[in-house]
Amino acid sequence: MPDTAPAAVRADAPTDGQPIIEIEGLNKWFGEFHVLRDISLSVNKGEVVVVIGPSGSGKSTLIRCINHLEEHQQGRIVVDGTELTDDVRNIDQVRRETGMVFQSFNLFPHLTVLENITLAPIRVRKWKKSKAEERARFFLDKVGIPEQALKFPGQLSGGQQQRVAIARALTMGPKVMLFDEPTSALDPEVIGEVLEVMVALAQEGMTMIVVTHEMGFAREVGDRVIFMDQGQIVEVGTPEHFFLAPREERTKAFLSKIL
Amino acid sequence: MFEVIPPRPAPAGVAGIGGWIRRNLFSSPANTLLTVVTGLFVGYVVIAVVAWALFDASWGQVWANQRLFAVYRYPADLLWRPMAVLAAMMALIGVMGGAGRSNEILRGLFWSLVGFVAVVTVIAILFWPSARVLWTGVLAASVVGYALGAARPALVRALPWAWAAWLFLGFFLLYGVTPGSGLLRIVPARDWGGFMLTLILFTGIVPSFPLGVALALGRRSKLPAIKYTCIAFIEIVRGAPLIMWLFVASLLLPLFLNTDPNNLPAILRAYVAITLFSAAYMAENVRGGLQSVPRGQTEAARALGLGGWLTTSLIVLPQALRAVIPAIVGQAIGLFKDTSLVFIVGLADFFRVTEIVANQPASLRVTGGVKLELYLFVALIYFFFAYRMSIASRQLEKQLGVGTR
């Protein structure tokens, strides 16, 4: 008998919930480099999953696969009942239901804050301009910067820009929010204002997958924490489990460095 | 105890004109020497040129051939046709200037063109009885356009269509419809020329813009057939001088289209060559802009559910074009002067008219010839337009540099 690969660690959602994201046996290569290895992960509606791990561990690539900004080569990704295939209609369907927040904000610099937020609702959801603007102002209010609506992104601070980016994603009415290191590019004194918005969002019951180095956030609002290293899921557990009694050596080594 | 020290005036030799002169022109013996020598040289040249222009030059041939310079052999009784096209152009520019009068650049461009037209109109009223009404009409059209644009800025949205209609109808008005002597009789293209032809060829930049954008986008296409066709076109066209393409167009285009060369006026062939040549350069300029847009912009747009076409047209292209507007204006300035190369395929553009006039018997009778006068006149006109565009380009760079990204 040939040697079989060691069984991968699965990160299944609790069985009492209703899964909205299901990833099964996901593999991805960049050229020859095996960046994601046998990832199996499911997320329930309303869950907040925090993904941590050293840089280069594949955690950003993983959540970028969920809205198909990265293409996977093996495995299944199903988001709210739609499987991601090469079919563009499926991809667009999934992207409409998932909001994404990037490390570098990626606001459109040639559009005002309001236009940044209303562009996709008007063009993709086909809302009337008045409805889109009304919803946009509602979410700008929610992230605490209603007075910035008519400014350009370049006139805002980093923390304000990231809050606009969150409002932009929320206005589309997504079922899932993906956060790709949302506070890594921010000055220390404005990280708090962005985290506050995210905590409020989690408490309202939004389904969230958050790639972050903010352990305080993971501990406070995370339902589950996933530790990744070298393209694999190494350990899964509640925040209490992670920060009080991690099992794996690699997890312990990583946590001891950043805590 | 802390006390604010009140400001004191700068010592003599630092501030004011005297200070500037001392610091920049006479700061050391060597510098003083340089200043004196340069000053003498510049003074000598200026005095010599002015003295020549006022006392020795004979401007009679420039003055006598004004119509050749303007429209070449376009029939005198049909001059209202090119003038009507000019009036329409000035009206459209007027709408642009009026609607965008809060923009320093549009306003400046409009008023310098109107200034040019106004000077010619005054000359016409004083010296050209037959053209008085026409030039006054052009001036009036500019002002009416400006007033319209100022009163109804929303008209700007119709401008792209208006310009397209202007190009199309303008051609028919210049060329005519009926052969022989009927209404709008045809003026064969071999009679077109002068500054009119230079301007016509310069409008080649307009169709070259969408073509160039399409080529630049095609070059980034994922489909190999489109991608490599665009690359081949761009590289081949850029790989040879414009003069060669003008030859190719005049000799090969009729062959490709399987038609008699006489059915395809030389102007049309040159126009096609200039447009395609300009499009290849436009494509490379636009490609530079496309590359300057960060990948995150596309990703953010796609993550919001925008499709490929919407992402390109609403997010990527606006940012890319904004980044390369100065380069495109630079290209326009270059093309404006490069149109003079069409003399090589037998067209009598503004520049070529100098040679024609210089060889007239009247010119040859003048001692020493009149070439210098003719070239100086042509150079001044080219300079006026090229330098005005250059000013606009610098203003644009300044305007685009602030408040973006």
Side-chain angles (χ1 to χ4, degrees):
Chain A
M1 284 284 283
D3 283 345
T4 47
V9 177
R10 301 183 58 90
D12 291 319
T15 47
D16 56 349
Q18 199 184 349
I20 187 162
I21 296 177
E22 292 163 284
I23 299 173
E24 192 63 46
L26 177 69
N27 278 283
K28 172 169 180 60
W29 288 263
F30 283 131
E32 288 293 307
F33 179 57
H34 197 173
V35 61
L36 291 177
R37 308 177 192 179
D38 297 335
I39 303 278
S40 295
L41 161 72
S42 56
V43 178
N44 279 342
K45 262 185 192 149
E47 241 195 323
V48 176
V49 173
V50 178
V51 185
I52 61 174
S55 62
S57 58
K59 52 195 194 306
S60 285
T61 310
L62 171 62
I63 69 165
R64 287 162 59 87
C65 280
I66 296 174
N67 64 356
H68 209 267
L69 284 182
E70 301 286 355
E71 207 174 332
H72 60 282
Q73 282 90 35
Q74 276 177 11
R76 268 162 56 87
I77 301 177
V78 181
V79 179
D80 194 30
T82 309
E83 181 175 354
L84 279 175
T85 56
D86 288 338
D87 191 331
V88 179
R89 277 168 305 180
N90 283 2
I91 295 172
D92 283 342
Q93 168 67 24
V94 166
R95 283 176 177 161
R96 277 197 290 274
E97 305 307 332
T98 53
M100 187 161 210
V101 176
F102 299 86
Q103 180 177 347
S104 48
F105 328 136
N106 294 349
L107 296 179
F108 308 131
H110 61 300
L111 302 177
T112 63
V113 164
L114 200 60
E115 288 165 343
N116 260 277
I117 300 176
T118 55
L119 180 76
I122 293 173
R123 296 291 181 152
V124 179
R125 291 256 190 247
K126 311 282 180 202
W127 290 357
K128 283 215 178 75
K129 194 175 170 208
S130 55
K131 179 186 175 187
E133 287 189 350
E134 187 198 323
R135 298 298 293 162
R137 287 190 184 273
F138 172 80
F139 283 107
L140 273 179
D141 201 39
K142 201 160 180 171
V143 299
I145 40 173
E147 72 284 358
Q148 312 287 2
L150 299 179
K151 288 195 183 162
F152 284 92
Q155 296 167 300
L156 306 184
S157 73
Q160 291 171 328
Q161 290 193 44
Q162 193 60 300
R163 287 189 279 162
V164 171
I166 294 173
R168 178 173 72 177
L170 288 176
T171 306
M172 282 292 280
K175 293 181 175 149
V176 180
M177 285 286 285
L178 308 172
F179 290 86
D180 187 2
E181 304 205 26
T183 56
S184 299
L186 294 175
D187 290 334
E189 74 269 22
V190 298
I191 288 178
E193 66 193 42
V194 173
L195 287 179
E196 252 171 59
V197 170
M198 291 169 60
V199 170
L201 198 57
Q203 283 164 352
E204 282 171 25
M206 174 62 79
T207 310
M208 293 163 64
I209 302 184
V210 185
V211 172
T212 187
H213 294 294
E214 293 295 327
M215 293 303 143
F217 176 84
R219 206 180 303 200
E220 197 179 332
V221 294
D223 292 314
R224 271 188 297 154
V225 177
I226 293 175
F227 174 65
M228 284 182 70
D229 192 16
Q230 294 177 6
Q232 282 173 263
I233 295 177
V234 174
E235 190 163 355
V236 188
T238 60
E240 295 76 39
H241 161 87
F242 250 88
F243 297 113
L244 299 176
R247 205 169 43 234
E248 300 286 333
E249 283 308 316
R250 280 195 279 177
T251 318
K252 286 178 195 163
F254 176 73
L255 289 173
S256 73
K257 270 185 233 155
I258 63 164
L259 283 178
Chain B
M1 245 332 248
F2 173 79
E3 260 184 82
V4 177
I5 302 169
R8 291 185 295 267
V14 172
I17 293 177
W20 186 90
I21 290 177
R22 205 165 310 137
R23 257 179 301 123
N24 290 288
L25 299 179
F26 301 102
S27 60
S28 69
N31 208 339
T32 306
L33 184 72
L34 256 176
T35 301
V36 171
V37 172
T38 318
L40 285 175
F41 178 71
V42 170
Y44 170 76
V45 170
V46 169
I47 289 170
V49 169
V50 170
W52 172 83
L54 289 183
F55 305 118
D56 298 335
S58 42
W59 298 101
Q61 275 299 85
V62 174
W63 183 253
N65 290 290
Q66 42 192 236
R67 199 149 58 76
L68 276 190
F69 276 115
V71 295
Y72 194 51
R73 292 190 314 221
Y74 205 90
D77 59 321
L78 299 179
L79 272 185
W80 66 271
R81 277 153 56 169
M83 292 300 279
V85 176
L86 179 67
M89 183 183 94
M90 286 306 294
L92 289 178
I93 292 177
V95 171
M96 259 154 81
R101 66 192 180 289
S102 55
N103 181 320
E104 166 193 42
I105 301 170
L106 286 177
R107 200 180 49 212
L109 276 176
F110 171 72
W111 285 115
S112 43
L113 279 177
V114 169
F116 186 83
V117 169
V119 167
V120 181
T121 306
V122 168
I123 296 175
I125 290 174
L126 294 177
F127 303 107
W128 309 332
S130 61
R132 266 174 204 161
V133 180
L134 291 174
W135 276 102
T136 312
V138 173
L139 191 60
S142 330
V143 176
V144 168
Y146 184 87
L148 262 177
R152 296 232 190 290
L155 282 175
V156 168
R157 260 176 260 140
L159 271 180
W161 300 108
W163 278 117
W166 173 78
L167 267 181
F168 187 73
L169 296 176
F171 171 79
F172 273 105
L173 195 54
L174 284 180
Y175 187 66
V177 202
T178 50
S181 58
L183 187 71
L184 283 183
R185 74 169 201 256
I186 285 176
V187 178
R190 64 175 179 275
D191 288 344
W192 304 17
F195 198 63
M196 176 182 78
L197 178 60
T198 296
L199 282 185
I200 290 174
L201 293 173
F202 180 50
T203 63
I205 194 104
V206 177
S208 86
F209 179 70
L211 262 174
V213 170
L215 282 167
L217 291 174
R219 192 168 185 162
R220 284 160 56 106
S221 168
K222 282 196 192 109
L223 304 172
I226 295 178
K227 180 178 174 173
Y228 291 110
T229 309
C230 290
I231 291 181
F233 178 86
I234 292 169
E235 297 303 337
I236 291 173
V237 168
R238 285 180 356 129
L242 177 57
I243 284 203
M244 201 205 85
W245 292 118
L246 288 168
F247 269 126
V248 169
S250 63
L251 299 175
L252 292 186
L253 205 60
L255 218 65
F256 281 146
L257 296 179
N258 201 13
T259 167
D260 182 43
N262 296 323
N263 291 342
L264 223 51
I267 290 178
L268 191 62
R269 285 176 264 161
Y271 194 85
V272 170
I274 284 177
T275 301
L276 295 182
F277 189 77
S278 169
Y281 278 87
M282 189 73 78
E284 286 303 276
N285 276 335
V286 172
R287 188 167 73 106
L290 290 174
Q291 278 170 339
S292 76
V293 178
R295 236 171 70 107
Q297 292 290 312
T298 314
E299 288 181 351
R302 302 310 296 264
L304 284 165
L306 291 165
W309 174 242
L310 284 179
T311 301
T312 302
S313 60
L314 297 175
I315 305 299
V316 180
L317 261 187
Q319 296 184 53
L321 293 182
R322 182 178 297 208
V324 296
I325 286 177
I328 291 175
V329 176
Q331 198 194 327
I333 296 173
L335 187 73
F336 178 63
K337 293 169 294 175
D338 287 348
T339 53
S340 57
L341 290 172
V342 295
F343 80 87
I344 209 88
V345 289
L347 293 176
D349 78 311
F350 189 50
F351 175 73
R352 171 70 186 148
V353 171
T354 54
E355 286 294 314
I356 294 169
V357 172
N359 291 323
Q360 287 173 350
S363 305
L364 297 173
R365 277 198 294 276
V366 178
T367 331
V370 291
K371 280 201 171 174
L372 202 50
E373 290 85 343
L374 296 168
Y375 284 136
L376 204 66
F377 166 70
V378 167
L380 274 176
I381 301 287
Y382 272 118
F383 177 77
F384 173 80
F385 287 98
Y387 185 61
R388 195 59 197 77
M389 283 192 269
S390 167
I391 291 175
S393 158
R394 255 177 292 133
Q395 288 172 328
L396 258 175
E397 272 171 51
K398 226 165 85 189
Q399 197 180 72
L400 295 172
V402 281
T404 55
R405 212 182 298 285

